[in-house]
């Protein structure tokens, strides 16, 4: 007798992207803005909210037209939809704050090729009704924003002794200047990833060759299908 899988509730759809399938710390998607756009907490939140808007709007529209668009041109259609909303966000940020636009730079336009947005459009929005797609996209966007904020806040606090431009430790604090350098964005992300998924790094899959062993040791277990053994 075959078992029928239970359809996830709206709350489960929403929470999936915040913790269980967090784009930043679990799926490791959108690494370009994650590593380069998290010098400060303000920039991180701005990038996260911009991406969230594009993600939600794109997935909603993709879900609405999922039965109309031919499969042969679906990817091209998704990219046009995403690019349209990214252009809207680009002009909006320019109108609101030129300083923020200069700080984020080309990463606003690069939202078009963000793996999170195209991935959710193809894997979820194209197969589910609009409301459920919007809920899932909102959770994914907020999870991405939380990930960016955690990195941006850590780097700003340690690298400048401030949070949102407000001094936290007084004039005698010696900033860790290295924290605002691009290289140390990797270290901050690695630490945060270990904190959010502490068991994954010790769970390695069984390997039948030295090549697969190398891949398993270099990558966390949750990113390698079929991971079972523990070193």
């Amino acid at each position: 007798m075959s078992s029928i899988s239970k359809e996830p509730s709206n709350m489960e759809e929403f929470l999936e992207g915040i913790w269980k399938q967090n784009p930043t710390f679990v799926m490791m998607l959108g690494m370009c803005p994650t590593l380069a756009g998290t010098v400060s907490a303000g920039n991180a939140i701005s990038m996260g909210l911009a991406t969230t808007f594009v993600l939600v709007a794109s997935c909603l529209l993709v879900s609405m037209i999922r039965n109309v668009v031919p499969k042969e041109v679906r990817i091209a259609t998704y990219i046009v939809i995403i690019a349209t909303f990214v252009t809207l966000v680009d002009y909006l940020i320019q109108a609101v704050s030129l300083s923020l636009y200069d700080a984020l730079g080309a990463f606003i336009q690069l939202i078009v090729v963000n793996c999170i947005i195209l991935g959710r459009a193809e894997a979820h929005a194209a197969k589910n009704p609009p409301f459920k797609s919007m809920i899932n996209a909102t959770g994914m966007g907020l999870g991405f924003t939380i990930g960016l904020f955690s990195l941006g806040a850590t780097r700003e606090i340690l690298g400048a002794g401030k949070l949102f431009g407000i001094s936290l430790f007084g004039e005698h604090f010696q900033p860790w200047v290295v924290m605002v350098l691009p290289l140390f964005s990797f270290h901050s992300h690695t630490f945060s990833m270990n904190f959010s998924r502490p068991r994954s790094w010790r769970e390695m899959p069984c390997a039948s060759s030295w090549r697969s062993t190398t891949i398993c040791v270099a990558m966390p277990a949750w990113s390698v299908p079929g991971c079972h053994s523990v070193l």
Side-chain angles (χ1 to χ4, degrees), residues 14-47:
F14 177 76
L15 295 177
E16 180 184 14
I18 294 180
W19 179 253
K20 186 177 180 180
Q21 294 293 333
N22 186 281
T24 304
F25 300 130
V26 179
M27 294 193 293
M28 295 180 66
L29 299 176
M31 288 294 99
C32 185
T34 299
L35 299 177
T38 55
V39 178
S40 66
N43 290 353
I45 289 182
S46 299
M47 176 58 69

Side-chain angles (χ1 to χ4, degrees), residues 51-179:
T51 305
T52 300
F53 170 78
V54 176
L55 177 60
V56 174
S58 300
C59 286
L60 177 61
L61 186 54
V62 167
S63 179
M64 292 174 64
I65 64 174
R66 68 187 188 281
N67 296 324
V68 180
V69 178
K71 293 183 179 180
E72 294 78 9
V73 296
R74 69 186 190 281
I75 300 299
T77 304
Y78 299 161
I79 294 176
V80 170
I81 292 173
I82 295 170
T84 301
F85 288 112
V86 170
T87 302
L88 179 62
V89 168
D90 184 63
Y91 285 137
L92 183 61
I93 294 179
Q94 287 188 63
V96 173
S97 175
L98 283 176
S99 60
L100 177 61
Y101 183 80
D102 293 336
L104 297 179
F107 295 106
I108 300 175
Q109 291 85 1
L110 287 175
I111 296 176
V112 175
V113 293
N114 194 310
C115 303
I116 303 171
I117 302 175
L118 186 59
R120 298 320 293 174
E122 170 68 9
H124 193 275
K127 303 174 183 177
N128 290 278
F131 184 68
K132 178 170 290 188
S133 300
M134 187 173 61
I135 290 178
N136 183 268
T138 303
M140 286 289 172
L142 291 180
F144 183 64
T145 304
I146 292 172
L148 293 186
F149 171 73
S150 64
L151 295 176
T154 300
R155 296 178 66 189
E156 184 178 7
I157 291 173
L158 298 179
K162 300 178 181 180
L163 184 62
F164 296 110
I166 301 175
S167 179
L168 300 179
F169 306 115
E171 58 183 8
H172 299 293
F173 175 74
Q174 187 67 31
W176 299 6
V177 183
V178 293
M179 291 300 297

Side-chain angles (χ1 to χ4, degrees), residues 184-199:
F184 277 80
S185 61
F186 287 95
H187 295 275
S188 301
H189 181 261
T190 301
F191 174 79
S192 301
M193 189 165 53
N194 282 331
F195 177 76
S196 61
R197 302 284 291 189
R199 296 179 301 172

